[in-house]
Amino acid sequence: MYFTGIPKFISVEIPSENKHILILKYFTGTAGIHDLVDIFGACIYDKNKHLALTDITLVYVSKIRTMREPEQK
């Protein structure tokens, strides 16, 4: 597998029900050999605790085929 790209910040979201939580969305990079797939992710950050709670994959984007989207619970 080939992976390239420097993570690039996209946006910050603040959920209305949890003002101390930040959702930091970013471009993770591109992976693959024949079918290059762009990967987008998010870091869930707690401002009060100064702690990254988790890092998740949001979406895969391919120009060749439809990708099954990651599921978060």
Side-chain angles (χ1 to χ4, degrees):
M1 174 169 291
Y2 180 70
F3 183 80
T4 186
I6 297 171
K8 295 176 187 151
F9 173 75
I10 297 172
S11 67
V12 174
E13 292 182 13
I14 302 171
S16 59
E17 61 276 1
N18 290 319
K19 297 290 185 189
H20 65 280
I21 298 293
L22 299 177
I23 302 172
L24 308 166
K25 294 185 176 182
Y26 63 95
F27 169 71
T28 302
T30 303
I33 296 173
H34 169 69
D35 180 11
L36 297 179
V37 177
D38 291 334
I39 305 167
F40 295 86
C43 176
I44 312 300
Y45 184 79
D46 187 322
K47 292 191 302 184
N48 291 347
K49 296 179 182 177
H50 303 285
L51 180 67
L53 302 175
T54 190
D55 188 65
I56 60 174
T57 301
L58 293 176
V59 67
Y60 300 113
V61 179
S62 167
K63 292 181 174 70
I64 296 176
R65 61 188 167 111
T66 302
M67 302 289 297
R68 194 172 110 206
E69 298 303 328
E71 295 180 27
Q72 309 298 331
K73 295 183 181 194

